[in-house]
Amino acid sequence: MKLNLEEITKELKNKNIRLSHHRLKVLEFLNDNRIHPTVDQIYIQLHKELPTLSKTTVYNSLNALVDAGLVKVLTIEDNETRYDIVTDNHGHFKCESCGKIYDFEINLSSFQSKDLDDFKINNRDIYFKGICPDCIQQ
Amino acid sequence: MKLNLEEITKELKNKNIRLSHHRLKVLEFLNDNRIHPTVDQIYIQLHKELPTLSKTTVYNSLNALVDAGLVKVLTIEDNETRYDIVTDNHGHFKCESCGKIYDFEINLSSFQSKDLDDFKINNRDIYFKGICPDCIQQ
DNA sequence: AATAAGTTTGTAATCATTACAAGTTAGCAA
DNA sequence: TTGCTAACTTGTAATGATTACAAACTTATT
């Protein structure tokens, strides 16, 4: 999917966030590599292209993009924070054998619980864990 | 709910995990305080009763209980690991205003996605975020 | 070009969690 | 009951991820 830069820049402007060169690179990386990467994965890859990039900037950029609502934090496990570009509703499945994270289509807004009638729900996350088909076969 | 110690001990034995005094206290705390506490919350409370308790032991006990399947790790946010005693299927709602975590009843096993037909699903977590009724009123 | 606000960088600080070694405890067998 | 062994606890030190901060740099705007 191609990023619409003008639109993104306009959205960011409302929040006084500039789409700087590094931030754009981080956003592009997430858009082009749908692997739900960790900060380290992003840093290591981008550092090859941008030798002056610091890890602090990666954290910075990610936090800015999350604040802007363009990027989502995934906390499937307590010891690894991952990032995902915001797209339509989907859940995440993590394979307990190979560690790979899969997207799966699911209509999150259809989930209702009478216990939450009086709650304002801003965000719905679904995390499944188990074994992926590749690992089942072995 | 009262803990059935004999049954729990028996289950643990299979995994060579003893239900030591400290571990039992941690388990009791989770059973009696359904507040999805952090390690610090557990440590501070139990330390009052058990002055010799170390934080390492709290971590240790929690990890053992998680391994035994009696306790579940909640990773709603990337910067705070919480623990929950394992009960029937329910989702978790975190209020973005007051930070409180609510349980809500939901039939987790009813969630299906055709994308996961060939996957073995061991675990389903649902995390919602938003504003709770108490905070909406203010 | 000048200005002001926002961004990047590197280092240092912080915080949660784990590793480790030494001492302690619990369960089992003789 | 005693002794043995494995498991547990403790405190300290190490690790690792993330944030704080100050100085230098960049960008958009006047």
Side-chain angles (χ1 to χ4, degrees):
Chain A
M1 201 198 307
K2 197 110 184 263
L3 293 170
N4 181 340
L5 292 189
E6 283 191 25
E7 200 163 305
I8 291 173
T9 307
K10 210 175 71 185
E11 269 188 53
L12 288 176
K13 209 162 190 177
N14 293 334
K15 314 204 179 190
N16 282 335
I17 297 175
R18 288 182 193 158
L19 190 57
S20 67
H21 187 56
H22 287 350
R23 286 181 186 163
L24 179 57
K25 281 291 181 185
V26 170
L27 192 58
E28 276 180 356
F29 181 83
L30 287 173
N31 191 54
D32 298 342
N33 302 275
R34 303 297 178 98
I35 57 172
H36 318 88
T38 62
V39 169
D40 262 1
Q41 285 179 293
I42 299 169
Y43 173 69
I44 289 168
Q45 281 303 315
L46 290 184
H47 187 76
K48 293 176 186 169
E49 281 184 66
L50 308 167
T52 71
L53 181 72
S54 77
K55 199 182 268 190
T56 304
T57 297
V58 177
Y59 276 105
N60 242 325
S61 301
L62 285 168
N63 288 338
L65 294 169
V66 169
D67 287 348
L70 296 171
V71 168
K72 202 165 157 39
V73 180
L74 303 187
T75 54
I76 305 183
E77 303 283 356
D78 59 336
N79 56 352
E80 52 171 36
T81 304
R82 294 174 172 276
Y83 294 86
D84 195 10
I85 197 158
V86 167
T87 56
D88 289 341
N89 279 349
H90 64 270
H92 292 100
F93 177 99
K94 176 167 181 179
C95 176
E96 291 167 330
S97 173
C98 67
K100 192 171 164 192
I101 294 172
Y102 295 80
D103 290 341
F104 60 88
E105 205 179 298
I106 199 154
N107 180 7
L108 288 169
S109 57
S110 71
F111 296 145
Q112 303 294 341
S113 172
K114 62 179 179 342
D115 295 343
L116 296 179
D117 279 350
D118 300 328
F119 289 63
K120 178 170 183 296
I121 302 173
N122 294 331
N123 198 279
R124 297 160 203 261
D125 279 314
I126 296 213
Y127 298 132
F128 286 3
K129 284 181 219 164
I131 310 294
C132 74
D134 288 353
C135 290
I136 288 173
Q137 285 208 315
Q138 283 158 20
Chain B
M1 202 199 307
K2 198 115 183 259
L3 292 170
N4 181 340
L5 292 189
E6 283 190 28
E7 198 162 308
I8 290 173
T9 306
K10 210 176 68 186
E11 269 188 57
L12 289 176
K13 211 165 189 175
N14 292 335
K15 315 203 179 193
N16 281 334
I17 296 175
R18 290 182 190 157
L19 190 57
S20 67
H21 187 54
H22 289 349
R23 285 182 187 165
L24 179 57
K25 281 292 180 185
V26 170
L27 192 58
E28 277 181 356
F29 181 83
L30 287 174
N31 191 53
D32 298 343
N33 302 275
R34 304 297 178 98
I35 57 172
H36 318 91
T38 61
V39 169
D40 263 0
Q41 283 179 294
I42 299 169
Y43 172 70
I44 288 168
Q45 280 303 314
L46 291 184
H47 188 76
K48 294 176 184 168
E49 281 182 67
L50 308 168
T52 71
L53 180 71
S54 77
K55 199 181 268 190
T56 303
T57 297
V58 177
Y59 275 105
N60 242 325
S61 301
L62 286 168
N63 288 337
L65 294 169
V66 169
D67 286 348
L70 297 171
V71 167
K72 201 164 157 38
V73 180
L74 303 187
T75 54
I76 305 183
E77 303 282 359
D78 58 335
N79 55 352
E80 54 172 35
T81 303
R82 295 174 171 276
Y83 294 87
D84 195 11
I85 197 158
V86 167
T87 57
D88 289 340
N89 280 349
H90 63 271
H92 292 100
F93 177 97
K94 175 165 184 181
C95 176
E96 291 168 329
S97 173
C98 67
K100 193 171 164 192
I101 293 171
Y102 295 80
D103 289 341
F104 60 89
E105 206 178 299
I106 199 154
N107 181 7
L108 288 169
S109 56
S110 71
F111 296 144
Q112 303 294 341
S113 171
K114 61 178 176 349
D115 295 344
L116 297 179
D117 279 350
D118 300 328
F119 290 64
K120 179 170 182 296
I121 302 174
N122 294 331
N123 197 281
R124 297 160 203 260
D125 280 314
I126 297 215
Y127 299 132
F128 285 4
K129 283 181 219 163
I131 310 292
C132 74
D134 288 354
C135 291
I136 289 173
Q137 286 207 316
Q138 283 158 21

